């Protein structure tokens, strides 16, 4: 059951509970946002009063039945949800800003001019802080004044913020990401409080609060999934298997800007590992997730939540016009896929996108055997290719097999699963890791096959990959077979 809001209680009881919760809300805002606003305090208190937790309890029963430390944890959990509602409201304005929200664009332009005029005369950071506060209150309302003040302080302290003040969508995206970091910071504290009070075990609270995190690491030896507040956390930076969940336009904009930098400032030398997941994926099976690994940092897998973002995920553009659609269709950017037929069938028929420059790893494996003079009748699956890859050690191969089985137990009907799990939010931890893992070693396999097959086979694999992508052009859907094609 998802957390939400409960039914109405008698007015007298509601007023009494409001008075009890008001100082709690006020303290939380002062500690975590480092400022206070009566309007924000009242708004959060009402949210806290009406909030229903995932176990179907409310703060009224928590106050009377739980210890002080649990009450604090519950209030902070509700605070994370409150910030999340504001973050989501702001996030919906990112694509709108790109389309032309006049009041945002005008304010950004005025701020830019004022900053340029006053940077040598007065406090430019103060000008930016006032601007951020004004923008957030305009977009989210006066009850968000505390959040506006916090964002003003955070953003004005970062020099790079000045560079996007004349780019409405990019600027709002930055604000969204900062709100999401606040959610993660609060959730970390909640996990500690629940664990210290034995209210929830650390793994249970982690599952409960996963929706507030965007940065994850996976320990393949133990199988543990760790959550991180930001990409600068040392545990995230040092991990060999990092996952970034992209389920907001704010984070999608950040990814697009990163891809723009590495693809066009480095002369198209970037290779992308790509994989999709969905509900029995094909033209009639919904595309839910896109996993992507970039050759500039193969330790990181980006998991794009297309189910949550919808069609606008492919049209959201950077200030220079780069979109996810244009990346997939750009012949100068090589995409490494493992049998793209069902994936592209979904992509083309659901979103009208035909990807180009596909290096199909499944065909590369066929090329490897044929180049060695072996007869090849059928293609091999990803797990077999991973098990046969000499670049992977036994621990990596064992984990690949383990997460493959765990994932299929959740979504494969023949294994007791249900494809609908790809539509459920927040994402199941195993589905997140399973999806990320499918893309994790694609670039490693790519390098392995590039070194194994003769050069003349590389272009044949590319041509075969593009031909396989055209599988989607069948008038009626055709289930891909396991025959090894001639290419």
């Amino acid at each position: 059951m998802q957390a939400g809001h409960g039914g109405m209680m008698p007015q007298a009881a509601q007023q009494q509970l409001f008075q009890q919760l008001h100082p709690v809300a006020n303290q939380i805002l002062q500690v975590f946002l480092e400022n206070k606003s009566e309007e924000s305090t009242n708004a959060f208190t009402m949210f806290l009063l009406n909030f229903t937790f995932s176990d179907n309890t409310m703060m009224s029963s928590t106050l009377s039945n739980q210890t002080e430390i649990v009450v604090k944890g519950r209030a902070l959990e509700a605070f994370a949800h409150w910030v999340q509602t504001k973050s989501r409201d702001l996030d919906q304005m990112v694509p709108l800003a790109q389309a032309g929200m006049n009041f945002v664009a005008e304010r950004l332009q005025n701020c830019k001019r004022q900053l340029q005029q006053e940077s040598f005369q007065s406090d430019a950071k103060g000008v930016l802080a006032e601007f951020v506060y004004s923008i957030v209150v305009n977009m989210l309302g006066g009850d968000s004044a505390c959040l506006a003040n916090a964002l003003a302080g955070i953003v004005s302290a970062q020099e790079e913020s000045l560079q996007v003040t004349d780019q409405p969508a990019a600027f709002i995206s930055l604000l969204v990401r900062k709100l999401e970091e606040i959610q993660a910071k609060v959730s970390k504290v909640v996990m500690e409080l629940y664990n210290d009070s034995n209210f929830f075990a650390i793994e249970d609270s982690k599952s409960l609060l996963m929706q507030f995190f965007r940065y994850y690491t996976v320990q393949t030896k133990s199988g543990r999934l760790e959550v991180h507040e930001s990409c600068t956390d040392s545990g995230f930076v040092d991990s060999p298997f990092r996952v970034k969940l992209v389920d907001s336009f704010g984070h999608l904009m950040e990814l697009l800007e990163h891809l723009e930098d590495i693809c066009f400032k480095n002369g198209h030398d970037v290779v992308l590992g790509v994989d999709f997941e969905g509900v029995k994926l094909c033209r009639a099976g919904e595309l839910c997730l896109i996993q992507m690994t970039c050759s500039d940092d193969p330790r990181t897998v980006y998991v794009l939540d297309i189910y949550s973002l919808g069609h606008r995920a492919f049209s959201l553009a950077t200030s220079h016009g780069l979109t996810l659609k244009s990346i997939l269709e750009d012949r100068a950017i090589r995409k490494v896929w493992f049998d793209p037929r069902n994936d592209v069938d979904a992509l083309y028929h659901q979103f009208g996108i035909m990807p180009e420059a596909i290096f199909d790893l499944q065909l590369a494996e066929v090329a490897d055997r044929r180049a060695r003079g072996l007869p090849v009748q059928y293609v091999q699956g990803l797990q077999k290719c991973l098990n046969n890859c000499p670049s992977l050690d036994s621990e990596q191969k064992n984990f690949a097999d383990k997460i493959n089985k765990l994932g299929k137990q959740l979504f494969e009907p023949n294994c007791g699963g249900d494809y609908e799990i790809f539509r459920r939010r927040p994402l199941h931890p195993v589905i997140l890791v399973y999806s990320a893992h499918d893309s994790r070693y694609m670039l490693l396999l790519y390098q392995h096959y590039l070194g194994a097959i003769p050069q003349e086979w590389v272009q044949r694999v590319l041509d075969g990959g593009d031909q396989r992508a055209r599988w989607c052009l069948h008038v009626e859907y055709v289930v891909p077979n396991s025959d090894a094609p001639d290419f």
Side-chain angles (χ1 to χ4, degrees):
M1 182 179 294
Q2 294 294 311
H5 284 78
M8 294 297 293
M9 63 177 68
Q11 187 174 0
Q14 188 179 52
Q15 289 177 346
Q16 183 179 3
L17 184 57
F18 183 91
Q19 294 303 319
Q20 285 181 277
L21 293 175
H22 191 274
V24 176
N26 186 60
Q27 183 183 30
I28 288 174
L29 295 181
Q30 289 194 61
V31 171
F32 284 92
L33 301 183
E34 298 182 356
N35 70 93
K36 60 181 180 178
S37 153
E38 189 62 24
E39 192 171 357
S40 292
T41 304
N42 289 340
F44 173 47
T45 302
M46 285 303 298
F47 183 91
L48 189 56
L49 186 151
N50 293 306
F51 188 74
T52 303
F53 295 95
S54 58
D55 59 2
N56 212 33
T57 62
M58 300 179 72
M59 281 302 297
S60 55
S61 60
T62 301
L63 285 170
S64 57
N65 298 319
Q66 296 294 346
T67 63
E68 183 179 347
I69 191 171
V70 173
V71 170
K72 184 178 180 180
R74 284 303 225 188
L76 285 173
E77 183 184 341
F79 178 58
H81 280 277
W82 184 67
V83 177
Q84 185 184 65
T85 62
K86 300 296 185 180
S87 173
R88 286 176 173 172
D89 288 345
L90 192 61
D91 192 56
Q92 289 303 309
M93 297 183 189
V94 174
L96 295 177
Q98 177 187 298
M101 285 178 63
N102 291 333
F103 85 91
V104 177
E106 289 172 4
R107 283 184 173 275
L108 284 166
Q109 290 170 2
N110 291 337
C111 176
K112 187 76 171 181
R113 285 193 293 268
Q114 190 175 2
L115 286 171
Q116 291 170 341
Q117 292 169 3
E118 299 189 17
S119 59
F120 296 105
Q121 304 171 17
S122 61
D123 182 13
K125 290 183 178 179
V127 175
L128 180 58
E130 289 179 10
F131 164 73
V132 172
Y133 176 84
S134 178
I135 285 294
V136 174
V137 169
N138 263 285
M139 291 191 289
L140 296 181
D143 64 351
S144 300
C146 261
L147 289 171
N149 264 320
L151 288 172
I154 294 169
V155 173
S156 63
Q158 300 178 341
E159 292 184 7
E160 62 269 23
S161 302
L162 297 173
Q163 300 171 8
V164 293
T165 53
D166 56 354
Q167 302 167 28
F171 192 77
I172 298 174
S173 294
L174 175 63
L175 300 180
V176 169
R177 295 195 297 273
K178 296 307 175 185
L179 284 180
E180 290 177 342
E181 287 181 12
I182 291 173
Q183 296 169 43
K185 180 181 178 181
V186 172
S187 298
K188 274 281 192 178
V189 176
V190 175
M191 288 169 58
E192 293 171 3
L193 291 174
Y194 285 166
N195 185 59
D196 291 345
S197 62
N198 295 318
F199 187 66
F200 280 125
I202 196 70
E203 290 302 314
D204 292 333
S205 62
K206 189 186 298 180
S207 296
L208 176 70
L209 301 166
M210 256 192 70
Q211 60 186 296
F212 301 115
F213 294 91
R214 304 296 178 275
Y215 303 96
Y216 306 87
T217 54
V218 183
Q219 299 176 4
T220 54
K221 188 173 184 178
S222 64
R224 282 174 60 90
L225 177 68
E226 300 293 346
V227 294
H228 302 273
E229 294 178 27
S230 72
C231 59
T232 59
D233 284 6
S234 59
F236 185 83
V237 172
D238 297 335
S239 174
F241 186 4
R242 312 187 300 201
V243 181
K244 287 188 178 182
L245 177 60
V246 180
D247 62 351
S248 66
F249 293 110
H251 267 88
L252 178 58
M253 180 65 75
E254 182 182 45
L255 173 59
L256 291 172
E257 290 170 341
H258 175 67
L259 291 173
E260 188 171 68
D261 285 343
I262 63 174
C263 290
F264 296 99
K265 290 183 180 179
N266 295 341
H268 295 296
D269 291 328
V270 176
V271 179
L272 303 177
V274 183
D275 184 53
F276 293 176
E277 300 294 345
V279 182
K280 204 166 179 58
L281 203 59
C282 64
R283 65 187 66 184
E286 186 173 11
L287 170 57
C288 297
L289 301 172
I290 291 180
Q291 304 86 255
M292 189 177 294
T293 308
C294 307
S295 57
D296 72 309
D297 181 14
R299 296 183 302 158
T300 301
V301 180
Y302 299 90
V303 178
L304 283 66
D305 189 352
I306 303 301
Y307 178 74
S308 296
L309 297 172
H311 281 74
R312 291 181 297 179
F314 297 97
S315 59
L316 185 70
T318 66
S319 59
H320 294 96
L322 186 78
T323 65
L324 188 56
K325 180 179 187 293
S326 67
I327 291 169
L328 291 169
E329 293 180 339
D330 193 333
R331 290 199 63 82
I333 302 174
R334 185 170 294 182
K335 273 72 68 174
V336 176
W337 233 295
F338 193 96
D339 186 3
R341 288 175 291 181
N342 275 332
D343 290 5
V344 176
D345 197 70
L347 185 66
Y348 180 74
H349 289 279
Q350 294 174 32
F351 300 99
I353 298 171
M354 178 68 78
E356 300 282 354
I358 294 176
F359 186 96
D360 186 346
L361 292 170
Q362 192 173 59
L363 295 186
E365 190 283 328
V366 171
D368 181 29
R369 283 185 285 160
R370 284 181 175 164
R372 288 184 281 124
L374 299 175
V376 182
Q377 186 175 0
Y378 300 106
V379 296
Q380 293 185 354
L382 178 58
Q383 290 305 308
K384 190 167 185 179
C385 291
L386 290 174
N387 285 329
N388 292 335
C389 180
S391 300
L392 295 177
D393 60 32
S394 58
E395 180 184 308
Q396 292 170 317
K397 292 177 181 179
N398 288 337
F399 183 77
D401 184 61
K402 179 181 178 181
I403 194 61
N404 184 57
K405 290 177 180 176
L406 288 174
K408 289 185 175 179
Q409 286 172 6
L410 290 175
F411 70 81
E412 278 280 6
N414 293 338
C415 300
D418 184 351
Y419 278 105
E420 287 297 316
I421 198 167
F422 286 112
R423 288 192 176 116
R424 293 172 193 153
R425 297 296 178 273
L427 275 174
H428 192 289
V430 171
I431 291 298
L432 177 65
V433 178
Y434 169 86
S435 302
H437 192 274
D438 266 7
S439 175
R440 184 190 180 197
Y441 291 128
M442 284 195 173
L443 297 183
L444 186 146
L445 285 175
Y446 171 69
Q447 292 298 330
H448 167 68
Y449 289 128
L450 278 186
I453 63 177
Q455 185 59 37
E456 61 268 20
W457 276 93
V458 174
Q459 188 58 50
R460 293 167 71 175
V461 170
L462 285 167
D463 293 341
D466 284 340
Q467 184 178 354
R468 267 187 148 190
R470 269 66 182 169
W471 187 270
C472 67
L473 298 179
H474 283 105
V475 176
E476 301 290 337
Y477 173 67
V478 178
V479 178
N481 57 44
S482 57
D483 295 338
D486 293 324
F487 57 95

